[in-house]
Amino acid sequence: MVRAPDIDTQVLVVGAGPVGLMLAGELALGGADVVVLERRTGPLTESRASTLHARTMELLDQRGLLEELGTPPAGGPGHFGGTPLDLTTDSPYSGQWKVPQVRTEELLEGWASRLGARVVKGCRLTDLRTAPQSVEATAEAEPGPGGAASALRVRAAYVVGCDGESSTVRELAGFAFPGRDATRELLRADVADVEVPDRRFERHPGGLAISARGPGGVTRVMVHEYGAPVGRDSGPPSFARVADTWRRVTGDDIGGGAPLWLNSFGDALRQASQYRRGRILLAGDAAHHQMPVGGQALNLGLQDAANLGWKLAAEVRGTAGPGLLDSYHAERHPAGRRVLDNIAAQALLLLGGSGTEQLRALFGELLREPRVRAHLAGTIAGVDVRYAAEPGAHPLVGARVPYLRFGTGTDTYTDTAAGPGSSFAALRAGRGVLVDLSGRPAPVRAAAAPWQDGRVDVVTATPEPGRTAPEFTTALLRPDGHVAWADGTVPELEAALRRWFGPAARR
């Protein structure tokens, strides 16, 4: 085996799916040197995850990526375990949006690469060895033109596994991954040259059927047969199995179609006991395995990356305060647990047989109650995540910052990449932001001065006239858009600055 030149970097990300690429971009934006290893040699050839929820769209806006993405098509009505659910929230991106995973990866890889991240493809991780100050990873690269495979070694201060539910990083590093295996399964296929009616969570005596014709005349079918055993195949199901199950459940024959992609997913539920073990961390499906009901799995992983990226970048730059990196597990593990519990309830409603009809009927009634609808919509959309705050803190602390348009000395209230025209656009540099809407000289701005060395920006702004009054006068925003402090005392602000952005700079 040929030995490739060694690579030295600050952070090694394993996996160039959407989560790994989002993390790579966040790390590079925060000033970290980052390398991404991916075993695939090219882009995806299948559709996979394609639903982006409101909070993910907000994160893309916070990094100025929506201009490049354009306006994706709406993803249609939402649901909770197959029961219709209005996903309206207080986000400017209410609802759900359809973006093929290959396009999401293209967008995020281009962004991360422009910021300096290096993506190395065709490499399969085979070993991890930890030392007090570093981690050494060994990967096997695809054979080159001469036909010989090569070994690649990467030395990094930290390694993050973003390599999916069968994570090699998680296995090699010995992370505990408790939970349960699947007991129910949904078969899925993209099929050309078939004519079947669209079905939305259509229930039959023998099972559940879903079908929708997409672009290019391709029809996606999904089917679950009540009481059927979970397949134990090492790969995707055969098309014959999908077609036979579809026929038994619906009575229709799709066997003459041309399968383009085959997949299955079950109701397995697992979560890593720790998201960090020393210099090795997990994000996305490597940290939690769940049924991809309503597209929540992808969005949960992208929000992991947004939380971790700026913290790990500060750690390798040497500006992080004590405990900052540990706050990743402290915040994202309970957030993940909450989503997994939500998905488990949906899986029971979606795939349960005749014994759950009364439960589904009850949920149908409850979802018409405004407070219940808003609660579940916020959970699915990811906009209700609130990290722990000190007792007595402003109600916004720990929550995501509300969307506000404001001016900075002009009469324009539009979002541009060149300047902070909104509370989202103000975060595009990936730094903390102190937003002062008071309209008068404020001592809080002077208090933030020692952190204005590239860690925190200060934006003095005027809210857009004619809109609802902002929920704060002055607020400190973390780089991921969550509120670290609002309308408190100057000592409380200084404590928040030290906690999230490290010691004050010496003058």
Side-chain angles (χ1 to χ4, degrees):
M1 182 176 288
V2 178
R3 175 75 178 273
D6 290 353
I7 296 176
D8 289 284
T9 188
Q10 290 177 315
V11 182
L12 171 64
V13 175
V14 180
V19 175
L21 293 170
M22 180 81 175
L23 178 61
E26 292 291 318
L27 286 163
L29 185 65
D33 184 71
V34 56
V35 170
V36 183
L37 289 187
E38 169 56 49
R39 64 185 306 169
R40 285 184 285 137
T41 58
L44 286 171
T45 57
E46 65 269 4
S47 54
R48 293 196 183 179
S50 60
T51 299
L52 301 183
H53 286 299
R55 182 56 184 152
T56 297
M57 294 290 284
E58 291 180 357
L59 293 173
L60 295 178
D61 189 357
Q62 288 173 191
R63 296 301 181 250
L65 294 171
L66 288 187
E67 290 87 346
E68 184 179 347
L69 179 63
T71 303
H79 72 93
F80 184 89
T83 301
L85 175 66
D86 177 4
L87 292 177
T88 300
T89 66
D90 66 348
S91 171
Y93 306 107
S94 274
Q96 51 188 353
W97 307 87
K98 301 303 287 186
V99 181
Q101 184 170 325
V102 65
R103 176 64 183 121
T104 302
E105 291 185 5
E106 178 186 55
L107 174 76
L108 294 174
E109 182 174 351
W111 173 60
S113 297
R114 290 192 299 272
L115 290 169
R118 294 171 284 170
V119 181
V120 182
K121 297 186 177 180
C123 291
R124 180 177 63 88
L125 182 71
T126 58
D127 191 39
L128 284 175
R129 297 184 182 274
T130 58
Q133 301 299 320
S134 65
V135 183
E136 184 175 286
T138 303
E140 183 178 302
E142 290 288 325
S150 59
L152 175 70
R153 289 185 181 173
V154 183
R155 284 185 295 270
Y158 290 89
V159 172
V160 186
C162 300
D163 48 344
E165 60 190 47
S166 300
S167 171
T168 302
V169 172
R170 188 183 67 230
E171 181 180 348
L172 291 174
F175 282 83
F177 200 46
R180 58 174 172 78
D181 293 332
T183 59
R184 301 179 179 90
E185 183 179 39
L186 197 65
L187 305 179
R188 178 167 56 176
D190 287 347
V191 188
D193 304 325
V194 293
E195 295 291 338
V196 296
D198 282 359
R199 293 177 167 92
R200 180 171 171 80
F201 305 112
E202 188 175 275
R203 295 191 174 277
H204 297 260
L208 172 75
I210 304 165
S211 58
R213 195 173 184 85
V218 175
T219 298
R220 170 164 291 185
V221 299
M222 292 187 279
V223 61
H224 167 68
E225 187 173 14
Y226 299 144
V230 175
R232 300 302 177 189
D233 299 333
S234 58
S238 67
F239 183 54
R241 182 178 169 220
V242 176
D244 287 347
T245 305
W246 184 264
R247 176 181 48 78
R248 287 194 299 272
V249 170
T250 69
D252 291 343
D253 185 6
I254 61 171
L260 304 178
W261 178 56
L262 296 159
N263 178 254
S264 66
F265 54 87
D267 60 350
L269 201 69
R270 294 187 178 276
Q271 185 180 29
S273 298
Q274 302 166 279
Y275 282 14
R276 177 190 179 195
R277 294 193 68 191
R279 294 185 173 273
I280 302 177
L281 302 100
L282 303 175
D285 285 350
H288 38 77
H289 179 195
Q290 60 285 306
M291 188 176 181
V293 176
Q296 285 178 266
L298 169 63
N299 292 267
L300 180 63
L302 291 172
Q303 291 156 35
D304 289 343
N307 183 285
L308 174 60
W310 66 278
K311 296 175 181 178
L312 185 51
E315 186 73 25
V316 299
R317 287 199 328 265
T319 60
L324 178 65
L325 192 53
D326 285 330
S327 73
Y328 169 61
H329 169 87
E331 293 183 338
R332 292 307 298 169
H333 191 276
R337 183 73 254 169
R338 185 165 179 256
V339 172
L340 263 62
D341 290 344
N342 176 282
I343 288 175
Q346 291 197 63
L348 180 62
L349 291 171
L350 186 65
L351 303 182
S354 58
T356 57
E357 293 298 339
Q358 294 85 354
L359 186 60
R360 279 196 292 273
L362 176 61
F363 260 85
E365 293 179 16
L366 290 174
L367 294 183
R368 290 192 289 272
E369 292 292 329
R371 290 181 63 185
V372 175
R373 185 214 64 78
H375 173 80
L376 292 177
T379 300
I380 291 173
V383 299
D384 71 340
V385 173
R386 184 182 298 271
Y387 301 133
E390 295 293 328
H394 189 283
L396 277 180
V397 174
R400 81 196 211 290
V401 63
Y403 178 78
L404 297 171
R405 291 203 299 171
F406 46 68
T408 53
T410 71
D411 293 327
T412 59
Y413 296 91
T414 57
D415 296 355
T416 68
S422 76
S423 53
F424 290 175
L427 293 158
R428 289 183 181 173
R431 295 187 284 268
V433 179
L434 180 66
V435 179
D436 185 357
L437 306 178
S438 68
R440 60 185 184 278
V444 295
R445 297 204 294 271
W451 285 269
Q452 287 185 260
D453 56 357
R455 290 177 286 172
V456 176
D457 296 331
V458 174
V459 174
T460 303
T462 303
E464 182 181 18
R467 291 189 175 251
T468 303
E471 298 176 59
F472 63 85
T473 300
T474 310
L476 176 65
L477 312 183
R478 302 176 356 174
D480 58 1
H482 281 259
V483 179
W485 168 92
D487 291 344
T489 67
V490 168
E492 289 168 345
L493 170 61
E494 291 172 335
L497 285 161
R498 287 191 297 271
R499 178 184 179 188
W500 297 112
F501 302 103
R506 293 182 179 179
R507 294 275 174 170

